[in-house]
Amino acid sequence: MQISLTETAAELKAHERIVLTAHVNPDGDAIGSSLGLMHALKALGKEVQVFIDDDIPAAFSVLPGYELIGKPEEGQNIPADLLVAVDVSLDRIGRVNEAVKAPTLNIDHHITNDGKADKLYLDGNAAATAEIIYQLIEELGAPCTQEMAMCLYTGLAMDTGWFRFSNTTPNTMRVAAALLACGAQPHVISEALEQRPFAEVQSLAFALQKIELLAGGKVAGICLDHASLQEHEAPEGLIGMVRVIEGVDIAFTLKEKEPGLCRVSLRSKGVDVTKIALQFGGGGHVRAAGCTIEKPCAEARIELVKAIMQVLEETA
Ligand code: AMP
Ligand code: MN
Ligand code: MN
């Protein structure tokens, strides 16, 4: 059932033991939104824990509360009155689903949200879930602290490509300004999150050699099979480099993370790439979507390219 922001605040106020979670393969918005909301709920006297079923990249240790994020163990039972999933539908929270047996509240900005949570607050116009969480925190009447501001600013900055993407709205900027006023430090966040290990920068050179241009230059992508990924770790943000190629509308990366399991990222300058991601059980936003294809790299590439070409034709 979809609910309003006021009802979302009331739902949080009505519960005491709250577990927060976000998507596996967590990004700045997933981590920042969870931690930001955690700080606000703690300030209101709630018993709050954050569990994410994945490893959290060390670069995020710049966020206050990073060390408090737990990873559920197999068979673990985490007692709670309410499970809150942010930046995701309930199908991508991994083991948290089994570990927490409680009513579910979902707060998200993905238009592809499956609506399966008991209660859902969805705002597809929000650039990041962090933008929603800031508004929610105002609604809750919790104090805007530096800790919270650092976390939410990170979510906002990373989901908007540091305020460059088309999802950046006047409201995004107003929220960012409010977070700066609360003590967020953009330079500290960007320095921590934009640093890369030497080996990763080197692997960028390897990956970029594999760029292919398709559809007369309207599509560009990089496929990295499992063997290559064993030798050269896939660099973060690779898709961003494909996206900037002149004339390219749809950019993709396909990484065979495990033999027969490929993680796909899609970006566009106009075409609705959720139409491609949804065909493989994924989702996302009009201009940024993703999915997982359970096929070896070469086969997955053929299916993905076919789907991209179809959507491109339909849109032409
Ligand atoms: P990424 O390419 O991983 O940065 O993802 C781009 C966008 O698509 C993000 O908003 C993700 O949350 C969303 N997304 C990625 N993979 C999936 C998936 N398997 N299911 C649903 N949404 C996804
Ligand atoms: Mn996310
Ligand atoms: Mn997000």
Side-chain angles (χ1 to χ4, degrees), residues 23 25 27 87-89 91-92 108-110 112 159 239 253 263-267 277-278 280-285 287-292:
H23 56 83
N25 193 15
D27 53 22
D87 197 43
V88 66
S89 308
D91 61 344
R92 278 213 304 149
D108 194 12
H109 71 130
H110 292 97
T112 52
D159 261 22
I239 187 80
T253 59
R263 257 294 303 149
V264 175
S265 283
L266 291 153
R267 299 291 184 271
L278 283 169
F280 300 101
H285 312 280
R287 291 172 181 227
C291 57
T292 298

Side-chain angles (χ1 to χ4, degrees), residues 11 27 43 79 84 116 130 168 178 181 191 208 229 263 282 289 309:
E11 185 70 8
D27 53 22
V84 184
K116 292 202 176 139
T168 310
E191 273 160 32
L208 287 175
L229 287 174
R263 257 294 303 149
M309 294 307 171

Side-chain angles (χ1 to χ4, degrees), residues 29 33 86-87 107-110 126-134 159:
D29 193 26
S33 293
V86 299
D87 197 43
I107 304 169
D108 194 12
H109 71 130
H110 292 97
T129 301
E131 189 174 318
I132 303 174
I133 301 293
Y134 176 78
D159 261 22

